[in-house]
Amino acid sequence: MFSGKLLEKLSSATAVVVLTGAGTSAESGVPTFRGNEGLWKKFKPDELADFDAFIKNPDLVWEWYAYRKKLIADVRPNPAHYALAEMEKLFQEFAVITQNIDNLHRRAGSARVYELHGNIERNYCIKCGRWYRNDELTLATSAPRCVDCQGLIRPDVVWFGELLPAEQWELADRASRNADVFFSIGTSAIVYPAASLPLRAKESGAYIVEINAETTPLSDIAHESLIGKAGEILPRLVDVLRKQRTDENQK
Ligand code: BJW
Ligand code: ZN
């Protein structure tokens, strides 16, 4: 399943970086966006993941996020998340860059996580910027209002046409350019600027590995493309890496 080349690269790697997408949380029961089972089959992105749509119909957008907040609060990390938390312990430098807003990497124990598209557990007032946790809001079907200024409260997620959080983006960009091995896992690799990170890593000399249930536009660019479920492939990879470390220590 894992090539000699990949194991060799990982054995000598100092810095490993992982970019994750919705497919990494699919086995936890969080729906992906695209594909037959994806959210965008039923919901229109430009009517929901878009600031103008929020202003036009805040209750509709809130209803969608309230549904997803509840769904995400009720799921657990899956073997892919736990395997990545284990991998962090095996390398000198290790970072998870995620497009996911579900906080499942941190819940699984990953310490260095860069969130490119925000976090569904946080919210803020669009008028005065006051922060709200989910448990401070009534997740009813109408959009909540700020207690200080009556402004609309929105989830702290990045919608289309919005800039990514600058600090998280800079850390992710720097880590990608410094990576010896770069994994792209469970992402359709089409949403920019996140999709540019494997390309930046490759330009800087990283070995690019994709793990996905199907091929994506990145598959031809990656050095290796492993087709399958992240929750099955990653635990196997961790087992192989642990064995590799034990063998090296016994030499
Ligand atoms: C498994 C699996 C298993 C399943 N195991 N694998 C034209 C060209 C280029 C760029 C643009 C363009 N037009 C507009 C743009 C820019 C736009 C963009 O890239 N659009 C593309 C769609 C073309 N980007 C933006 O707008 C970004 N901002 C920006 O560029 O700012 C600069 C700017 C400013 C002003 C004007 C213009 C530009 C912001 C992007 C924000 C994305 N937001 C969302 C919603 C977040 C909030 C929420 O969740 O509600 O982020 S959209 C959605 O897509 C979400 C995801 O993070 C993101 C990526 O999706 P992901 O994770 O890849 O999921 P899927 O479903 O697509 O794929 C899942 C994959 O998993 C599949 O491949 C499966 O096979 C696989 N899989 N099970 C392994 N068990
Ligand atoms: Zn306010």
Side-chain angles (χ1 to χ4, degrees):
M1 150 135 272
F2 305 112
S3 72
K5 183 86 188 273
L6 172 58
L7 297 180
E8 201 181 289
K9 290 278 177 191
L10 286 170
S11 156
S12 62
T14 305
V16 174
V17 168
V18 176
L19 170 68
T20 64
T24 313
S25 295
E27 290 159 76
S28 292
V30 182
T32 60
F33 292 92
R34 298 166 187 86
N36 282 339
E37 303 296 316
L39 288 165
W40 295 154
K41 276 270 170 211
K42 283 181 249 162
F43 306 98
K44 292 203 175 98
D46 50 355
E47 285 172 14
L48 296 162
D50 177 283
F51 185 76
D52 292 340
F54 176 61
I55 295 302
K56 207 164 115 197
N57 198 343
D59 291 350
L60 175 76
V61 173
W62 256 102
E63 193 179 341
W64 192 57
Y65 279 95
Y67 151 74
R68 290 173 62 217
K69 280 170 188 281
K70 169 134 194 9
L71 188 150
I72 286 168
D74 289 345
V75 301
R76 298 216 175 116
N78 68 56
H81 299 107
Y82 289 117
L84 291 173
E86 281 304 303
M87 275 174 77
E88 186 166 18
K89 299 175 194 156
L90 299 176
F91 297 94
Q92 214 169 307
E93 290 169 41
F94 189 90
V96 173
I97 303 169
T98 190
Q99 299 168 85
N100 300 342
I101 58 169
D102 55 31
N103 209 25
L104 289 175
H105 288 297
R106 287 220 181 79
R107 285 175 56 194
S110 285
R112 186 172 294 181
V113 182
Y114 303 140
E115 290 172 328
L116 296 184
H117 293 164
N119 187 313
I120 200 163
E121 293 182 3
R122 297 188 302 256
N123 311 276
Y124 64 91
C125 167
I126 62 167
K127 209 163 155 195
C128 74
R130 178 178 165 149
W131 289 99
Y132 291 88
R133 293 189 312 270
N134 284 344
D135 63 8
E136 293 173 285
L137 303 173
T138 315
L139 296 180
T141 48
S142 61
R145 295 269 176 180
C146 178
V147 290
D148 285 341
C149 75
Q150 285 302 301
L152 275 168
I153 297 171
R154 63 168 283 180
D156 184 23
V157 298
V158 181
W159 287 328
F160 285 113
E162 293 186 322
L163 293 177
L164 274 52
E167 197 203 2
Q168 297 293 292
W169 170 253
E170 267 153 38
L171 289 166
D173 183 35
R174 202 177 311 151
S176 302
R177 291 182 191 276
N178 182 45
D180 299 309
V181 180
F182 185 104
F183 288 91
S184 172
I185 304 176
T187 172
S188 54
I190 58 165
V191 176
Y192 281 80
S196 71
L197 291 173
L199 314 177
R200 291 163 193 243
K202 191 176 181 189
E203 256 173 34
S204 307
Y207 193 71
I208 313 297
V209 185
E210 178 178 57
I211 300 177
N212 202 301
E214 58 192 22
T215 57
T216 74
L218 182 67
S219 307
D220 287 339
I221 296 157
H223 294 98
E224 297 198 22
S225 184
L226 306 176
I227 301 293
K229 290 187 174 178
E232 291 172 7
I233 295 176
L234 285 168
R236 274 191 249 162
L237 180 61
V238 170
D239 283 347
V240 173
L241 288 175
R242 282 215 195 94
K243 185 166 181 311
Q244 192 182 50
R245 298 298 154 104
T246 316
D247 292 349
E248 275 164 16
N249 287 341
Q250 282 168 356
K251 269 185 201 159

